[in-house]
């Protein structure tokens, strides 16, 4: 109880805002290379054996990597219930499309090599491509819509009214953010393949990964320019009590062009995030050209972390702004669970997250090394 009293409500809200960002980065860094490898599968592998090399580079770990996705959904549900309610209802159809990919991916992994028919295997290879492309694209589109504001409003009793549509989510800026997401995850998947494979697969992965890394830099820069010049941001115009109740309607907020760059002016140290995004992608470019897998993975990981962090740094304290009624926007200080709930969740996280990280590290240590095509040829090796 002493610790509960020491950790104030305002502190816990910041901690859980940071943890939400960490979970997003963790998902992008782990499951991200799975998705990227899936998008590269039809191109990095030309023969059936080469494609099996690509699949088996991620086959033993992809299921464990999806723990971050489950963790993220659970954390949002428990720590930010209003965010969960608005986003999971407003983006329902988009999330259903992602769900089809999540369902199809294990089926494709398991069924792909059940028959020798080349056409059968090729179809499943393109299913894996779909299962990598769709979540990557739609997650980026969702972030792009969150940056622009989502068309929802709240009644005085906190009833949510979402007035958007699925195709309304597919606006130009959101699609650009989707392309940034696709490019950076292809870059990350290519770095993983350069790290885990050899020969022709490694060479092709390095080639396509270099293109993806350069595209990440270009698209990220373009998104930044559009964000500064054309995309409307949001500002809180009233005094907000960090210890106040979770009621978004007790504040006032307005839309302002270029408002998302205000935090960089007020707190110059936050520029570390976009600089890291550019620097990491450029480091990955150089490493991929030289087929230095470990350095490429480090560069792509830093680039992805920087890009995600730059979104949080730009939008703080907003979590999900409302384009329909800016006063109803969800911010860090008015959309969280109770003080006690956040504290209990933090204690639980401090206990179980190190266990998950330790187990994950052990798994990667056991599976360390290159994927051997000779072992894949041996059907007794239990390879995909």
């Amino acid at each position: 109880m002493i610790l509960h009293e020491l950790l104030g409500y305002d502190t816990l809200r910041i901690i859980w805002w940071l943890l939400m960002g960490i979970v997003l980065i963790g998902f992008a860094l782990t499951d991200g290379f799975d998705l990227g490898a899936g998008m590269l599968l039809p191109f990095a592998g030309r023969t059936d054996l080469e494609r099996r090399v690509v699949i088996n580079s991620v086959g033993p770990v992809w299921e464990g990597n999806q723990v971050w996705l489950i963790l993220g959904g659970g954390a949002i549900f428990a720590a930010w219930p209003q965010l969960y309610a608005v986003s999971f209802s407003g983006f329902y159809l988009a999330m259903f499309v992602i769900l089809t990919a999540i369902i199809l991916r294990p089926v494709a992994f398991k069924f792909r090599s059940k028959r020798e028919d080349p056409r059968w295997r090729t179809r499943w290879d393109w299913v894996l491509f779909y299962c990598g492309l769709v979540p990557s694209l739609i997650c980026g589109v969702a972030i792009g819509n969150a940056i622009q504001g989502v068309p929802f409003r709240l009644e005085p009793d906190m009833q949510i009214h979402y007035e958007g549509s699925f195709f309304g989510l597919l606006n130009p800026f959101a699609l650009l953010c989707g392309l940034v997401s696709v490019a950076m995850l292809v870059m990350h998947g290519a770095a993983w393949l350069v790290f885990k494979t050899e020969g022709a697969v490694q060479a092709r992965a390095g080639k396509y990964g270099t293109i993806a890394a350069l595209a990440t830099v270009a698209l990220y820069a373009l998104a930044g320019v559009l964000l500064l010049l054309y995309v409307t941001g949001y500002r809180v115009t009233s005094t907000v009590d960090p210890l106040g109740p979770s009621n978004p309607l007790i504040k006032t907020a307005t839309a302002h062009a270029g408002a998302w760059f205000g935090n960089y002016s007020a707190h110059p140290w936050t520029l570390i995030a976009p600089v890291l995004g550019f620097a990491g992608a450029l480091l990955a470019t150089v490493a991929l050209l030289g087929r230095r897998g470990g350095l490429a993975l480090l560069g792509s990981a830093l680039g992805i972390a920087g890009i995600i962090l730059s979104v949080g740094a730009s939008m703080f304290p907003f979590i999900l702004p409302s384009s329909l009624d800016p006063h109803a926007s969800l911010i860090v200080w008015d959309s969280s669970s109770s003080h006690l709930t956040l504290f209990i969740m933090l204690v639980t996280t401090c206990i179980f997250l190190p266990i998950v990280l330790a187990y994950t590290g052990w798994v990667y240590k056991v599976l360390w090394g290159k994927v051997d095509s000779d072992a894949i040829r041996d059907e007794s090796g239990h390879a995909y």
Side-chain angles (χ1 to χ4, degrees):
M1 292 304 296
I2 296 176
L3 184 59
H4 174 245
E5 294 174 359
L6 290 176
L7 287 174
Y9 200 11
D10 53 342
T11 302
L12 285 171
R13 282 169 160 168
I14 288 291
I15 289 174
W16 274 102
W17 176 77
L18 291 171
L19 285 174
M20 185 169 63
I22 290 171
V23 168
L24 288 175
I25 293 172
F27 171 66
L29 295 187
T30 55
D31 211 32
F33 68 72
D34 297 345
L35 301 175
M39 287 185 278
L40 286 169
L41 177 61
F43 311 104
R46 300 284 175 82
T47 66
D48 179 66
L49 181 60
E50 288 176 350
R51 292 183 178 183
R52 290 184 68 192
V53 167
V54 173
I55 292 171
N56 281 275
S57 72
V58 299
V61 297
W62 72 268
E63 288 178 292
N65 292 340
Q66 288 196 154
V67 167
W68 289 94
L69 179 62
I70 299 169
L71 178 63
I76 292 174
F77 172 77
W80 308 100
Q82 291 170 323
L83 172 63
Y84 181 91
V86 174
S87 59
F88 277 65
S89 58
F91 298 163
Y92 179 81
L93 289 178
M95 291 183 178
F96 185 80
V97 174
I98 294 177
L99 185 61
T100 63
I102 293 175
I103 293 171
L104 283 172
R105 186 155 67 149
V107 177
F109 275 121
K110 301 298 183 182
F111 279 29
R112 188 230 180 237
S113 296
K114 294 297 184 181
R115 292 174 57 183
E116 297 289 342
D117 184 358
R119 291 177 298 178
W120 168 269
R121 295 188 172 188
T122 299
R123 292 190 192 104
W124 286 115
D125 291 339
W126 283 105
V127 169
L128 286 171
F129 170 81
Y130 167 86
C131 294
L133 176 64
V134 167
S136 304
L137 179 65
I138 293 185
C139 286
V141 167
I143 295 296
N145 279 280
I147 292 172
Q148 296 175 97
V150 176
F152 71 92
R153 58 186 175 85
L154 299 176
E155 296 288 353
D157 62 356
M158 294 295 105
Q159 183 179 1
I160 300 166
H161 295 276
Y162 179 82
E163 299 185 11
S165 66
F166 173 75
F167 291 103
L169 299 175
L170 305 179
N171 56 78
F173 181 77
L175 287 172
L176 174 61
C177 292
L179 291 177
V180 173
S181 176
V182 169
M184 74 179 189
L185 294 186
V186 169
M187 169 186 70
H188 198 44
W192 174 258
L193 291 179
V194 170
F195 181 70
K196 289 290 289 183
T197 65
E198 296 175 323
V201 173
Q202 185 189 61
R204 294 190 199 105
K207 173 186 173 182
Y208 291 118
T210 301
I211 296 171
L214 292 173
T216 300
V217 173
L219 292 170
Y220 183 46
L222 178 59
V225 171
L226 294 179
L227 192 63
L228 176 63
L229 299 179
Y230 300 107
V231 176
T232 300
Y234 297 84
R235 291 177 183 168
V236 177
T237 56
S238 64
T239 301
V240 177
D241 182 7
L243 299 171
S246 290
N247 182 355
L249 297 178
I250 62 177
K251 70 171 182 311
T252 58
T254 57
H256 288 274
W260 289 146
F261 282 77
N263 283 339
Y264 295 124
S265 300
H267 309 286
W269 62 269
T270 57
L271 287 168
I272 294 173
V275 169
L276 188 64
F278 284 115
L282 291 173
L283 175 61
T285 303
V286 174
L288 286 166
L289 283 171
R291 299 188 195 176
R292 300 177 64 183
L295 189 61
L297 265 178
L298 175 62
S300 64
L302 291 175
I304 290 171
I307 289 171
I308 294 174
L309 287 172
S310 68
V311 175
S314 299
M315 294 180 64
F316 184 84
F318 286 87
I319 300 178
L320 189 66
S322 170
S323 59
L324 197 62
D325 178 13
H327 303 318
S329 299
L330 308 181
I331 66 172
V332 172
W333 312 120
D334 65 15
S335 57
S336 72
S337 292
S338 69
H339 187 187
L340 181 60
T341 299
L342 295 182
F343 176 75
I344 293 173
M345 287 177 58
L346 182 61
V347 172
T348 304
T349 300
C350 290
I351 294 172
F352 289 101
L353 185 58
I355 296 174
V356 172
L357 292 175
Y359 174 75
T360 301
W362 177 78
V363 168
Y364 277 89
K365 181 180 178 181
V366 170
L367 298 172
W368 195 260
K370 301 282 187 180
V371 176
D372 189 352
S373 58
D374 292 332
I376 293 177
R377 285 194 188 96
D378 182 5
E379 293 300 327
S380 65
H382 304 291
Y384 283 103

